[in-house]
Each structure stands twice: as C-alpha cells, then as structure tokens.
Amino acid sequence: MTATLIDGKAFAAKVREGVAAKVAKLKAEHGITPGLAVVLVGEDPASQVYVRSKGKSTVEAGMESFEFRMPDTASHAEVLAKVEELNADPRVNGILVQLPLPSQVDENAIINAIDPAKDVDGFHVINTGRLSTGQDAMVPCTPLGCQMMLRDHLGKKMEGANAVIVGRSNIVGKPMAQLLLQDNCTVTIAHSRTKDLPGVVRQADIVIAAVGRPEMVRGDWIKPGATVIDVGINRIERDGKNKLVGDVCFEEAVEVAGAITPVPGGVGPMTIACLLVNTVTAACRQHGVTEPEA
Ligand code: GUN
C-alpha cells in the first residue's frame, strides 16, 4: 500500500486565507489591526529562518508584525523588560519569544511573564492549565495544526482511536495529548525510555512523531493503514547533501501507513498558520469582539 499524502502546505494556505479574511473584517467593522510581536534572542540560524518566515506570513495576512532581535549575551532582566514592554503595548495582541533561550535567561520565568491573553504560543501555565481542564485557552501552534489535519483527514474516525505520541515535550507532546483526548482518542505518550517503543507504536491508529531524532520511527513500527503525523524537522547530511527529514523514515512508512504528512510540507507550514489563527483569536478576545467568520 502507498499512503495518502496529507498536504500541510495546501491546508496551511487555506487556513491563512481564512485568517486574512477575518483580519479584513476586523479592520473594516471594528478598526482593529491585530499585531504579533516576535522576540529572538541570539543568532541560531534555524530560529532566524523561522522568525523571518513568521514575520512575512503575518504581514501577508494583513496584520502588523513587530520583530525584536537581542544579542545572545542579553541578560534575563533585559529579556524580561522587553516582554513587559510588549505586555503594555496595545498594538501588540500576540507575543512569541522564540525558544530555546540562552542559558543565562530563565525560560520558564520569561514564558510566565507574558500576559496569558497575549500568549499565542500557549506555553504560559495559565494556558496549559486551561487546556488540560477544557477551558478556553491559547493552544500551542504545532499541536493545533496537527489536530486540524487529523480532524480534516479522519473526522469521526478519531473517536476511540488509539493515538500514540512519541515525545513528551511541553511544546508538542503534552498539549497534543490534551487535544487528542478532546477528540475522544485513547492516548499514550511514549518517549525514549518507553519499553518496547516499536511494539507500543505498532498498536497505534494515529502516530504523532515528535522526538526530534531523524527517522527514528521505522516502517515496521507502523500498523498498516495508520495515520502518521511527523512533527520532526531535522537537518541531516546524506550523500554529501544537506537534507530535511522528519522523525519518521518516510520511504519506509509511506508503504505501510494509510496517510502520512511529508517533511517538508506537512506539519511545518501548519504551525505558522496556527500562529496567525491564535493572533486573531487573541486580538478579538482583548478587544471584546466576537471573532468574525472567515
Ligand atoms: N521553538 C521551536 N518551536 C517553537 C514554538 O512553537 N514556539 C516558540 N516560541 N519557540 C519555538
């Protein structure tokens, strides 16, 4: 069998169109232009690429983009002061501090200093708590994008499905589990210390690979017909060339799975689209207006 490809790039383009339509209505009907501020501390090349791409997509959707770059020698107090300045700025509806931060900066303290209403990453403890108790939360962008693709592809078939998440990060694994529970999946969070990891993954109707290890999930770990969402973005060198691969060995898995997201062109574009979705939601809540229909 050859799996159906879940085209995240095309899906993300549709989501971004919907965001642009909502932004146009917010401007016309309420005079509101949502604004997103991104803070990048240091020179990490991958982070620089993400931040540039976020800024471009924000402007293309009709929103205001604010970008702040700080040197990797920036102190904790300097980064905190920037967050506080953005919390107080009414033009800024969403704040994203790109992670990881340099070691002298206390990452958790910075995340929890962001106004929860502007926390478009959904990493603040208030938002993680709201998500896990079924209250209105800002939902982390990568798991939100995965949920949208799964709902689109599987719909009601998610109900009662065995979902195995490989990876227990705060950014993906843990919030993903909450979202899958909302859709009535039976959820397992597996990780590098899980006993018989291939055996656990083989039970899954839905596999979410988010471990950050290139091609760790092999084709013979996949139950025939399963839906595979590959969150990994790993740069590797093969045959003297730089290549982007996921956490799943695509060539093997595509022969076994029912559906699979490619890397690149799967989860990645959806993450940025969901950041725009969250920024519009945050702006509407801050202004006390109902979110317009797309
Ligand atoms: N670094 C890697 N992924 C993310 C993300 O989703 N948000 C932030 N802020 N930093 C990241």
mmCIF file with all atom_site columns, all heavy atoms in Angstrom, residues 36-42 51 54 66-70 78-79 82-83 86 95-101 110 114:
data_model
loop_
_atom_site.group_PDB
_atom_site.id
_atom_site.type_symbol
_atom_site.label_atom_id
_atom_site.label_alt_id
_atom_site.label_comp_id
_atom_site.label_asym_id
_atom_site.label_entity_id
_atom_site.label_seq_id
_atom_site.pdbx_PDB_ins_code
_atom_site.Cartn_x
_atom_site.Cartn_y
_atom_site.Cartn_z
_atom_site.occupancy
_atom_site.B_iso_or_equiv
_atom_site.pdbx_formal_charge
_atom_site.auth_seq_id
_atom_site.auth_comp_id
_atom_site.auth_asym_id
_atom_site.auth_atom_id
_atom_site.pdbx_PDB_model_num
ATOM 1   N N   . LEU A 1 36  ? 1.351  41.098 15.980 1.00 0.00 ? 36  LEU A N   1
ATOM 2   C CA  . LEU A 1 36  ? 2.131  39.988 16.556 1.00 0.00 ? 36  LEU A CA  1
ATOM 3   C C   . LEU A 1 36  ? 3.578  40.422 16.751 1.00 0.00 ? 36  LEU A C   1
ATOM 4   O O   . LEU A 1 36  ? 4.215  40.905 15.805 1.00 0.00 ? 36  LEU A O   1
ATOM 5   C CB  . LEU A 1 36  ? 2.086  38.771 15.623 1.00 0.00 ? 36  LEU A CB  1
ATOM 6   C CG  . LEU A 1 36  ? 2.996  37.590 15.986 1.00 0.00 ? 36  LEU A CG  1
ATOM 7   C CD1 . LEU A 1 36  ? 2.560  36.940 17.303 1.00 0.00 ? 36  LEU A CD1 1
ATOM 8   C CD2 . LEU A 1 36  ? 3.000  36.539 14.879 1.00 0.00 ? 36  LEU A CD2 1
ATOM 9   N N   . ALA A 1 37  ? 4.088  40.277 17.956 1.00 0.00 ? 37  ALA A N   1
ATOM 10  C CA  . ALA A 1 37  ? 5.489  40.594 18.239 1.00 0.00 ? 37  ALA A CA  1
ATOM 11  C C   . ALA A 1 37  ? 6.282  39.304 18.438 1.00 0.00 ? 37  ALA A C   1
ATOM 12  O O   . ALA A 1 37  ? 5.845  38.411 19.161 1.00 0.00 ? 37  ALA A O   1
ATOM 13  C CB  . ALA A 1 37  ? 5.591  41.451 19.492 1.00 0.00 ? 37  ALA A CB  1
ATOM 14  N N   . VAL A 1 38  ? 7.414  39.217 17.756 1.00 0.00 ? 38  VAL A N   1
ATOM 15  C CA  . VAL A 1 38  ? 8.284  38.052 17.902 1.00 0.00 ? 38  VAL A CA  1
ATOM 16  C C   . VAL A 1 38  ? 9.628  38.531 18.449 1.00 0.00 ? 38  VAL A C   1
ATOM 17  O O   . VAL A 1 38  ? 10.191 39.507 17.954 1.00 0.00 ? 38  VAL A O   1
ATOM 18  C CB  . VAL A 1 38  ? 8.466  37.341 16.540 1.00 0.00 ? 38  VAL A CB  1
ATOM 19  C CG1 . VAL A 1 38  ? 9.470  36.206 16.651 1.00 0.00 ? 38  VAL A CG1 1
ATOM 20  C CG2 . VAL A 1 38  ? 7.136  36.801 16.025 1.00 0.00 ? 38  VAL A CG2 1
ATOM 21  N N   . VAL A 1 39  ? 10.102 37.853 19.489 1.00 0.00 ? 39  VAL A N   1
ATOM 22  C CA  . VAL A 1 39  ? 11.384 38.217 20.110 1.00 0.00 ? 39  VAL A CA  1
ATOM 23  C C   . VAL A 1 39  ? 12.363 37.079 19.861 1.00 0.00 ? 39  VAL A C   1
ATOM 24  O O   . VAL A 1 39  ? 12.079 35.921 20.195 1.00 0.00 ? 39  VAL A O   1
ATOM 25  C CB  . VAL A 1 39  ? 11.219 38.445 21.634 1.00 0.00 ? 39  VAL A CB  1
ATOM 26  C CG1 . VAL A 1 39  ? 12.558 38.807 22.272 1.00 0.00 ? 39  VAL A CG1 1
ATOM 27  C CG2 . VAL A 1 39  ? 10.163 39.516 21.916 1.00 0.00 ? 39  VAL A CG2 1
ATOM 28  N N   . LEU A 1 40  ? 13.489 37.404 19.254 1.00 0.00 ? 40  LEU A N   1
ATOM 29  C CA  . LEU A 1 40  ? 14.528 36.405 19.004 1.00 0.00 ? 40  LEU A CA  1
ATOM 30  C C   . LEU A 1 40  ? 15.790 36.812 19.751 1.00 0.00 ? 40  LEU A C   1
ATOM 31  O O   . LEU A 1 40  ? 16.327 37.895 19.535 1.00 0.00 ? 40  LEU A O   1
ATOM 32  C CB  . LEU A 1 40  ? 14.810 36.313 17.496 1.00 0.00 ? 40  LEU A CB  1
ATOM 33  C CG  . LEU A 1 40  ? 15.965 35.405 17.069 1.00 0.00 ? 40  LEU A CG  1
ATOM 34  C CD1 . LEU A 1 40  ? 15.733 33.961 17.490 1.00 0.00 ? 40  LEU A CD1 1
ATOM 35  C CD2 . LEU A 1 40  ? 16.174 35.470 15.554 1.00 0.00 ? 40  LEU A CD2 1
ATOM 36  N N   . VAL A 1 41  ? 16.231 35.950 20.639 1.00 0.00 ? 41  VAL A N   1
ATOM 37  C CA  . VAL A 1 41  ? 17.453 36.223 21.401 1.00 0.00 ? 41  VAL A CA  1
ATOM 38  C C   . VAL A 1 41  ? 18.547 35.300 20.859 1.00 0.00 ? 41  VAL A C   1
ATOM 39  O O   . VAL A 1 41  ? 18.393 34.083 20.892 1.00 0.00 ? 41  VAL A O   1
ATOM 40  C CB  . VAL A 1 41  ? 17.247 35.968 22.911 1.00 0.00 ? 41  VAL A CB  1
ATOM 41  C CG1 . VAL A 1 41  ? 18.485 36.403 23.694 1.00 0.00 ? 41  VAL A CG1 1
ATOM 42  C CG2 . VAL A 1 41  ? 16.004 36.692 23.425 1.00 0.00 ? 41  VAL A CG2 1
ATOM 43  N N   . GLY A 1 42  ? 19.628 35.893 20.332 1.00 0.00 ? 42  GLY A N   1
ATOM 44  C CA  . GLY A 1 42  ? 20.728 35.086 19.807 1.00 0.00 ? 42  GLY A CA  1
ATOM 45  C C   . GLY A 1 42  ? 20.658 34.933 18.298 1.00 0.00 ? 42  GLY A C   1
ATOM 46  O O   . GLY A 1 42  ? 19.799 35.522 17.641 1.00 0.00 ? 42  GLY A O   1
ATOM 47  N N   . VAL A 1 51  ? 11.763 32.929 12.315 1.00 0.00 ? 51  VAL A N   1
ATOM 48  C CA  . VAL A 1 51  ? 11.281 34.264 12.695 1.00 0.00 ? 51  VAL A CA  1
ATOM 49  C C   . VAL A 1 51  ? 10.997 35.102 11.441 1.00 0.00 ? 51  VAL A C   1
ATOM 50  O O   . VAL A 1 51  ? 9.974  35.790 11.351 1.00 0.00 ? 51  VAL A O   1
ATOM 51  C CB  . VAL A 1 51  ? 12.304 34.951 13.633 1.00 0.00 ? 51  VAL A CB  1
ATOM 52  C CG1 . VAL A 1 51  ? 12.006 36.433 13.782 1.00 0.00 ? 51  VAL A CG1 1
ATOM 53  C CG2 . VAL A 1 51  ? 12.290 34.265 14.998 1.00 0.00 ? 51  VAL A CG2 1
ATOM 54  N N   . LYS A 1 54  ? 7.801  33.849 9.968  1.00 0.00 ? 54  LYS A N   1
ATOM 55  C CA  . LYS A 1 54  ? 6.632  34.263 10.755 1.00 0.00 ? 54  LYS A CA  1
ATOM 56  C C   . LYS A 1 54  ? 6.258  35.709 10.433 1.00 0.00 ? 54  LYS A C   1
ATOM 57  O O   . LYS A 1 54  ? 5.088  36.035 10.247 1.00 0.00 ? 54  LYS A O   1
ATOM 58  C CB  . LYS A 1 54  ? 6.924  34.144 12.257 1.00 0.00 ? 54  LYS A CB  1
ATOM 59  C CG  . LYS A 1 54  ? 6.857  32.734 12.782 1.00 0.00 ? 54  LYS A CG  1
ATOM 60  C CD  . LYS A 1 54  ? 7.474  32.625 14.166 1.00 0.00 ? 54  LYS A CD  1
ATOM 61  C CE  . LYS A 1 54  ? 7.584  31.168 14.593 1.00 0.00 ? 54  LYS A CE  1
ATOM 62  N NZ  . LYS A 1 54  ? 8.460  30.959 15.734 1.00 0.00 ? 54  LYS A NZ  1
ATOM 63  N N   . PHE A 1 66  ? 5.835  42.909 14.531 1.00 0.00 ? 66  PHE A N   1
ATOM 64  C CA  . PHE A 1 66  ? 6.896  43.603 15.271 1.00 0.00 ? 66  PHE A CA  1
ATOM 65  C C   . PHE A 1 66  ? 7.984  42.576 15.560 1.00 0.00 ? 66  PHE A C   1
ATOM 66  O O   . PHE A 1 66  ? 7.678  41.509 16.100 1.00 0.00 ? 66  PHE A O   1
ATOM 67  C CB  . PHE A 1 66  ? 6.365  44.165 16.590 1.00 0.00 ? 66  PHE A CB  1
ATOM 68  C CG  . PHE A 1 66  ? 5.147  45.043 16.437 1.00 0.00 ? 66  PHE A CG  1
ATOM 69  C CD1 . PHE A 1 66  ? 3.863  44.507 16.512 1.00 0.00 ? 66  PHE A CD1 1
ATOM 70  C CD2 . PHE A 1 66  ? 5.279  46.410 16.212 1.00 0.00 ? 66  PHE A CD2 1
ATOM 71  C CE1 . PHE A 1 66  ? 2.737  45.310 16.374 1.00 0.00 ? 66  PHE A CE1 1
ATOM 72  C CE2 . PHE A 1 66  ? 4.150  47.222 16.076 1.00 0.00 ? 66  PHE A CE2 1
ATOM 73  C CZ  . PHE A 1 66  ? 2.878  46.670 16.153 1.00 0.00 ? 66  PHE A CZ  1
ATOM 74  N N   . GLU A 1 67  ? 9.213  42.904 15.187 1.00 0.00 ? 67  GLU A N   1
ATOM 75  C CA  . GLU A 1 67  ? 10.290 41.934 15.367 1.00 0.00 ? 67  GLU A CA  1
ATOM 76  C C   . GLU A 1 67  ? 11.371 42.536 16.247 1.00 0.00 ? 67  GLU A C   1
ATOM 77  O O   . GLU A 1 67  ? 11.777 43.679 16.010 1.00 0.00 ? 67  GLU A O   1
ATOM 78  C CB  . GLU A 1 67  ? 10.861 41.604 13.987 1.00 0.00 ? 67  GLU A CB  1
ATOM 79  C CG  . GLU A 1 67  ? 11.302 40.175 13.838 1.00 0.00 ? 67  GLU A CG  1
ATOM 80  C CD  . GLU A 1 67  ? 11.695 39.894 12.395 1.00 0.00 ? 67  GLU A CD  1
ATOM 81  O OE1 . GLU A 1 67  ? 10.776 39.768 11.561 1.00 0.00 ? 67  GLU A OE1 1
ATOM 82  O OE2 . GLU A 1 67  ? 12.908 39.835 12.122 1.00 0.00 ? 67  GLU A OE2 1
ATOM 83  N N   . PHE A 1 68  ? 11.813 41.803 17.244 1.00 0.00 ? 68  PHE A N   1
ATOM 84  C CA  . PHE A 1 68  ? 12.856 42.307 18.145 1.00 0.00 ? 68  PHE A CA  1
ATOM 85  C C   . PHE A 1 68  ? 13.972 41.287 18.228 1.00 0.00 ? 68  PHE A C   1
ATOM 86  O O   . PHE A 1 68  ? 13.734 40.124 18.557 1.00 0.00 ? 68  PHE A O   1
ATOM 87  C CB  . PHE A 1 68  ? 12.274 42.579 19.538 1.00 0.00 ? 68  PHE A CB  1
ATOM 88  C CG  . PHE A 1 68  ? 11.158 43.583 19.496 1.00 0.00 ? 68  PHE A CG  1
ATOM 89  C CD1 . PHE A 1 68  ? 9.835  43.172 19.384 1.00 0.00 ? 68  PHE A CD1 1
ATOM 90  C CD2 . PHE A 1 68  ? 11.432 44.943 19.506 1.00 0.00 ? 68  PHE A CD2 1
ATOM 91  C CE1 . PHE A 1 68  ? 8.800  44.094 19.303 1.00 0.00 ? 68  PHE A CE1 1
ATOM 92  C CE2 . PHE A 1 68  ? 10.403 45.885 19.427 1.00 0.00 ? 68  PHE A CE2 1
ATOM 93  C CZ  . PHE A 1 68  ? 9.087  45.451 19.326 1.00 0.00 ? 68  PHE A CZ  1
ATOM 94  N N   . ARG A 1 69  ? 15.173 41.725 17.899 1.00 0.00 ? 69  ARG A N   1
ATOM 95  C CA  . ARG A 1 69  ? 16.329 40.841 17.989 1.00 0.00 ? 69  ARG A CA  1
ATOM 96  C C   . ARG A 1 69  ? 17.218 41.311 19.121 1.00 0.00 ? 69  ARG A C   1
ATOM 97  O O   . ARG A 1 69  ? 17.511 42.496 19.225 1.00 0.00 ? 69  ARG A O   1
ATOM 98  C CB  . ARG A 1 69  ? 17.118 40.853 16.679 1.00 0.00 ? 69  ARG A CB  1
ATOM 99  C CG  . ARG A 1 69  ? 16.365 40.099 15.607 1.00 0.00 ? 69  ARG A CG  1
ATOM 100 C CD  . ARG A 1 69  ? 16.890 40.396 14.215 1.00 0.00 ? 69  ARG A CD  1
ATOM 101 N NE  . ARG A 1 69  ? 15.980 39.774 13.261 1.00 0.00 ? 69  ARG A NE  1
ATOM 102 C CZ  . ARG A 1 69  ? 16.213 38.600 12.685 1.00 0.00 ? 69  ARG A CZ  1
ATOM 103 N NH1 . ARG A 1 69  ? 17.329 37.943 12.912 1.00 0.00 ? 69  ARG A NH1 1
ATOM 104 N NH2 . ARG A 1 69  ? 15.326 38.094 11.859 1.00 0.00 ? 69  ARG A NH2 1
ATOM 105 N N   . MET A 1 70  ? 17.632 40.373 19.961 1.00 0.00 ? 70  MET A N   1
ATOM 106 C CA  . MET A 1 70  ? 18.518 40.714 21.069 1.00 0.00 ? 70  MET A CA  1
ATOM 107 C C   . MET A 1 70  ? 19.757 39.824 20.961 1.00 0.00 ? 70  MET A C   1
ATOM 108 O O   . MET A 1 70  ? 19.661 38.689 20.488 1.00 0.00 ? 70  MET A O   1
ATOM 109 C CB  . MET A 1 70  ? 17.801 40.489 22.405 1.00 0.00 ? 70  MET A CB  1
ATOM 110 C CG  . MET A 1 70  ? 16.480 41.260 22.493 1.00 0.00 ? 70  MET A CG  1
ATOM 111 S SD  . MET A 1 70  ? 15.554 40.970 24.001 1.00 0.00 ? 70  MET A SD  1
ATOM 112 C CE  . MET A 1 70  ? 16.379 42.081 25.120 1.00 0.00 ? 70  MET A CE  1
ATOM 113 N N   . GLU A 1 78  ? 16.986 41.946 30.855 1.00 0.00 ? 78  GLU A N   1
ATOM 114 C CA  . GLU A 1 78  ? 16.728 42.645 29.576 1.00 0.00 ? 78  GLU A CA  1
ATOM 115 C C   . GLU A 1 78  ? 15.600 41.965 28.794 1.00 0.00 ? 78  GLU A C   1
ATOM 116 O O   . GLU A 1 78  ? 14.728 42.640 28.238 1.00 0.00 ? 78  GLU A O   1
ATOM 117 C CB  . GLU A 1 78  ? 18.010 42.695 28.726 1.00 0.00 ? 78  GLU A CB  1
ATOM 118 C CG  . GLU A 1 78  ? 19.006 43.719 29.242 1.00 0.00 ? 78  GLU A CG  1
ATOM 119 C CD  . GLU A 1 78  ? 20.405 43.577 28.620 1.00 0.00 ? 78  GLU A CD  1
ATOM 120 O OE1 . GLU A 1 78  ? 20.793 42.458 28.230 1.00 0.00 ? 78  GLU A OE1 1
ATOM 121 O OE2 . GLU A 1 78  ? 21.102 44.607 28.564 1.00 0.00 ? 78  GLU A OE2 1
ATOM 122 N N   . VAL A 1 79  ? 15.609 40.639 28.762 1.00 0.00 ? 79  VAL A N   1
ATOM 123 C CA  . VAL A 1 79  ? 14.548 39.927 28.032 1.00 0.00 ? 79  VAL A CA  1
ATOM 124 C C   . VAL A 1 79  ? 13.211 40.136 28.745 1.00 0.00 ? 79  VAL A C   1
ATOM 125 O O   . VAL A 1 79  ? 12.178 40.408 28.114 1.00 0.00 ? 79  VAL A O   1
ATOM 126 C CB  . VAL A 1 79  ? 14.883 38.415 27.893 1.00 0.00 ? 79  VAL A CB  1
ATOM 127 C CG1 . VAL A 1 79  ? 13.777 37.684 27.129 1.00 0.00 ? 79  VAL A CG1 1
ATOM 128 C CG2 . VAL A 1 79  ? 16.223 38.224 27.182 1.00 0.00 ? 79  VAL A CG2 1
ATOM 129 N N   . LYS A 1 82  ? 11.766 43.482 27.962 1.00 0.00 ? 82  LYS A N   1
ATOM 130 C CA  . LYS A 1 82  ? 11.151 43.508 26.619 1.00 0.00 ? 82  LYS A CA  1
ATOM 131 C C   . LYS A 1 82  ? 9.741  42.910 26.679 1.00 0.00 ? 82  LYS A C   1
ATOM 132 O O   . LYS A 1 82  ? 8.790  43.467 26.118 1.00 0.00 ? 82  LYS A O   1
ATOM 133 C CB  . LYS A 1 82  ? 12.054 42.738 25.631 1.00 0.00 ? 82  LYS A CB  1
ATOM 134 C CG  . LYS A 1 82  ? 11.542 42.630 24.231 1.00 0.00 ? 82  LYS A CG  1
ATOM 135 C CD  . LYS A 1 82  ? 11.182 43.951 23.582 1.00 0.00 ? 82  LYS A CD  1
ATOM 136 C CE  . LYS A 1 82  ? 12.400 44.766 23.190 1.00 0.00 ? 82  LYS A CE  1
ATOM 137 N NZ  . LYS A 1 82  ? 11.997 46.103 22.640 1.00 0.00 ? 82  LYS A NZ  1
ATOM 138 N N   . VAL A 1 83  ? 9.589  41.791 27.372 1.00 0.00 ? 83  VAL A N   1
ATOM 139 C CA  . VAL A 1 83  ? 8.265  41.157 27.498 1.00 0.00 ? 83  VAL A CA  1
ATOM 140 C C   . VAL A 1 83  ? 7.290  42.117 28.186 1.00 0.00 ? 83  VAL A C   1
ATOM 141 O O   . VAL A 1 83  ? 6.145  42.285 27.736 1.00 0.00 ? 83  VAL A O   1
ATOM 142 C CB  . VAL A 1 83  ? 8.371  39.816 28.273 1.00 0.00 ? 83  VAL A CB  1
ATOM 143 C CG1 . VAL A 1 83  ? 6.992  39.298 28.688 1.00 0.00 ? 83  VAL A CG1 1
ATOM 144 C CG2 . VAL A 1 83  ? 9.084  38.770 27.428 1.00 0.00 ? 83  VAL A CG2 1
ATOM 145 N N   . LEU A 1 86  ? 6.117  44.787 25.866 1.00 0.00 ? 86  LEU A N   1
ATOM 146 C CA  . LEU A 1 86  ? 5.149  44.292 24.878 1.00 0.00 ? 86  LEU A CA  1
ATOM 147 C C   . LEU A 1 86  ? 3.798  43.994 25.528 1.00 0.00 ? 86  LEU A C   1
ATOM 148 O O   . LEU A 1 86  ? 2.741  44.211 24.916 1.00 0.00 ? 86  LEU A O   1
ATOM 149 C CB  . LEU A 1 86  ? 5.703  43.049 24.177 1.00 0.00 ? 86  LEU A CB  1
ATOM 150 C CG  . LEU A 1 86  ? 6.985  43.292 23.360 1.00 0.00 ? 86  LEU A CG  1
ATOM 151 C CD1 . LEU A 1 86  ? 7.569  41.972 22.855 1.00 0.00 ? 86  LEU A CD1 1
ATOM 152 C CD2 . LEU A 1 86  ? 6.707  44.235 22.190 1.00 0.00 ? 86  LEU A CD2 1
ATOM 153 N N   . ILE A 1 95  ? 2.359  37.738 21.616 1.00 0.00 ? 95  ILE A N   1
ATOM 154 C CA  . ILE A 1 95  ? 3.807  37.795 21.886 1.00 0.00 ? 95  ILE A CA  1
ATOM 155 C C   . ILE A 1 95  ? 4.367  36.385 21.777 1.00 0.00 ? 95  ILE A C   1
ATOM 156 O O   . ILE A 1 95  ? 3.842  35.454 22.398 1.00 0.00 ? 95  ILE A O   1
ATOM 157 C CB  . ILE A 1 95  ? 4.092  38.329 23.310 1.00 0.00 ? 95  ILE A CB  1
ATOM 158 C CG1 . ILE A 1 95  ? 3.486  39.717 23.514 1.00 0.00 ? 95  ILE A CG1 1
ATOM 159 C CG2 . ILE A 1 95  ? 5.600  38.332 23.594 1.00 0.00 ? 95  ILE A CG2 1
ATOM 160 C CD1 . ILE A 1 95  ? 3.546  40.211 24.970 1.00 0.00 ? 95  ILE A CD1 1
ATOM 161 N N   . LEU A 1 96  ? 5.419  36.251 20.974 1.00 0.00 ? 96  LEU A N   1
ATOM 162 C CA  . LEU A 1 96  ? 6.102  34.964 20.868 1.00 0.00 ? 96  LEU A CA  1
ATOM 163 C C   . LEU A 1 96  ? 7.582  35.199 21.147 1.00 0.00 ? 96  LEU A C   1
ATOM 164 O O   . LEU A 1 96  ? 8.210  36.005 20.471 1.00 0.00 ? 96  LEU A O   1
ATOM 165 C CB  . LEU A 1 96  ? 5.903  34.398 19.461 1.00 0.00 ? 96  LEU A CB  1
ATOM 166 C CG  . LEU A 1 96  ? 6.540  33.042 19.168 1.00 0.00 ? 96  LEU A CG  1
ATOM 167 C CD1 . LEU A 1 96  ? 5.693  32.256 18.194 1.00 0.00 ? 96  LEU A CD1 1
ATOM 168 C CD2 . LEU A 1 96  ? 7.962  33.169 18.648 1.00 0.00 ? 96  LEU A CD2 1
ATOM 169 N N   . VAL A 1 97  ? 8.100  34.549 22.164 1.00 0.00 ? 97  VAL A N   1
ATOM 170 C CA  . VAL A 1 97  ? 9.538  34.588 22.434 1.00 0.00 ? 97  VAL A CA  1
ATOM 171 C C   . VAL A 1 97  ? 10.104 33.277 21.894 1.00 0.00 ? 97  VAL A C   1
ATOM 172 O O   . VAL A 1 97  ? 9.760  32.193 22.380 1.00 0.00 ? 97  VAL A O   1
ATOM 173 C CB  . VAL A 1 97  ? 9.834  34.739 23.946 1.00 0.00 ? 97  VAL A CB  1
ATOM 174 C CG1 . VAL A 1 97  ? 11.334 34.756 24.184 1.00 0.00 ? 97  VAL A CG1 1
ATOM 175 C CG2 . VAL A 1 97  ? 9.184  36.002 24.504 1.00 0.00 ? 97  VAL A CG2 1
ATOM 176 N N   . GLN A 1 98  ? 10.937 33.391 20.877 1.00 0.00 ? 98  GLN A N   1
ATOM 177 C CA  . GLN A 1 98  ? 11.444 32.180 20.219 1.00 0.00 ? 98  GLN A CA  1
ATOM 178 C C   . GLN A 1 98  ? 12.307 31.372 21.198 1.00 0.00 ? 98  GLN A C   1
ATOM 179 O O   . GLN A 1 98  ? 13.199 31.917 21.858 1.00 0.00 ? 98  GLN A O   1
ATOM 180 C CB  . GLN A 1 98  ? 12.269 32.594 18.980 1.00 0.00 ? 98  GLN A CB  1
ATOM 181 C CG  . GLN A 1 98  ? 12.791 31.443 18.146 1.00 0.00 ? 98  GLN A CG  1
ATOM 182 C CD  . GLN A 1 98  ? 11.706 30.651 17.421 1.00 0.00 ? 98  GLN A CD  1
ATOM 183 O OE1 . GLN A 1 98  ? 10.655 31.180 17.081 1.00 0.00 ? 98  GLN A OE1 1
ATOM 184 N NE2 . GLN A 1 98  ? 11.964 29.378 17.215 1.00 0.00 ? 98  GLN A NE2 1
ATOM 185 N N   . LEU A 1 99  ? 12.040 30.081 21.286 1.00 0.00 ? 99  LEU A N   1
ATOM 186 C CA  . LEU A 1 99  ? 12.816 29.169 22.134 1.00 0.00 ? 99  LEU A CA  1
ATOM 187 C C   . LEU A 1 99  ? 13.739 28.337 21.245 1.00 0.00 ? 99  LEU A C   1
ATOM 188 O O   . LEU A 1 99  ? 13.437 28.145 20.078 1.00 0.00 ? 99  LEU A O   1
ATOM 189 C CB  . LEU A 1 99  ? 11.870 28.244 22.911 1.00 0.00 ? 99  LEU A CB  1
ATOM 190 C CG  . LEU A 1 99  ? 10.793 28.946 23.763 1.00 0.00 ? 99  LEU A CG  1
ATOM 191 C CD1 . LEU A 1 99  ? 9.913  27.900 24.446 1.00 0.00 ? 99  LEU A CD1 1
ATOM 192 C CD2 . LEU A 1 99  ? 11.424 29.878 24.797 1.00 0.00 ? 99  LEU A CD2 1
ATOM 193 N N   . PRO A 1 100 ? 14.839 27.836 21.734 1.00 0.00 ? 100 PRO A N   1
ATOM 194 C CA  . PRO A 1 100 ? 15.344 27.964 23.098 1.00 0.00 ? 100 PRO A CA  1
ATOM 195 C C   . PRO A 1 100 ? 15.982 29.325 23.361 1.00 0.00 ? 100 PRO A C   1
ATOM 196 O O   . PRO A 1 100 ? 16.399 30.002 22.416 1.00 0.00 ? 100 PRO A O   1
ATOM 197 C CB  . PRO A 1 100 ? 16.400 26.851 23.168 1.00 0.00 ? 100 PRO A CB  1
ATOM 198 C CG  . PRO A 1 100 ? 16.882 26.673 21.758 1.00 0.00 ? 100 PRO A CG  1
ATOM 199 C CD  . PRO A 1 100 ? 15.711 27.008 20.886 1.00 0.00 ? 100 PRO A CD  1
ATOM 200 N N   . LEU A 1 101 ? 16.057 29.688 24.652 1.00 0.00 ? 101 LEU A N   1
ATOM 201 C CA  . LEU A 1 101 ? 16.722 30.923 25.058 1.00 0.00 ? 101 LEU A CA  1
ATOM 202 C C   . LEU A 1 101 ? 18.115 30.581 25.589 1.00 0.00 ? 101 LEU A C   1
ATOM 203 O O   . LEU A 1 101 ? 18.334 29.462 26.062 1.00 0.00 ? 101 LEU A O   1
ATOM 204 C CB  . LEU A 1 101 ? 15.894 31.613 26.150 1.00 0.00 ? 101 LEU A CB  1
ATOM 205 C CG  . LEU A 1 101 ? 14.569 32.219 25.668 1.00 0.00 ? 101 LEU A CG  1
ATOM 206 C CD1 . LEU A 1 101 ? 13.670 32.569 26.851 1.00 0.00 ? 101 LEU A CD1 1
ATOM 207 C CD2 . LEU A 1 101 ? 14.827 33.456 24.811 1.00 0.00 ? 101 LEU A CD2 1
ATOM 208 N N   . ILE A 1 110 ? 10.391 33.623 31.833 1.00 0.00 ? 110 ILE A N   1
ATOM 209 C CA  . ILE A 1 110 ? 10.047 34.507 30.707 1.00 0.00 ? 110 ILE A CA  1
ATOM 210 C C   . ILE A 1 110 ? 8.674  34.125 30.137 1.00 0.00 ? 110 ILE A C   1
ATOM 211 O O   . ILE A 1 110 ? 7.817  34.984 29.917 1.00 0.00 ? 110 ILE A O   1
ATOM 212 C CB  . ILE A 1 110 ? 11.148 34.452 29.603 1.00 0.00 ? 110 ILE A CB  1
ATOM 213 C CG1 . ILE A 1 110 ? 12.471 35.041 30.119 1.00 0.00 ? 110 ILE A CG1 1
ATOM 214 C CG2 . ILE A 1 110 ? 10.685 35.149 28.318 1.00 0.00 ? 110 ILE A CG2 1
ATOM 215 C CD1 . ILE A 1 110 ? 12.436 36.499 30.513 1.00 0.00 ? 110 ILE A CD1 1
ATOM 216 N N   . ILE A 1 114 ? 4.795  36.531 30.222 1.00 0.00 ? 114 ILE A N   1
ATOM 217 C CA  . ILE A 1 114 ? 3.956  37.000 29.105 1.00 0.00 ? 114 ILE A CA  1
ATOM 218 C C   . ILE A 1 114 ? 2.499  37.067 29.593 1.00 0.00 ? 114 ILE A C   1
ATOM 219 O O   . ILE A 1 114 ? 2.037  36.142 30.273 1.00 0.00 ? 114 ILE A O   1
ATOM 220 C CB  . ILE A 1 114 ? 4.078  36.033 27.894 1.00 0.00 ? 114 ILE A CB  1
ATOM 221 C CG1 . ILE A 1 114 ? 5.520  36.023 27.360 1.00 0.00 ? 114 ILE A CG1 1
ATOM 222 C CG2 . ILE A 1 114 ? 3.089  36.388 26.795 1.00 0.00 ? 114 ILE A CG2 1
ATOM 223 C CD1 . ILE A 1 114 ? 5.789  34.952 26.305 1.00 0.00 ? 114 ILE A CD1 1
#
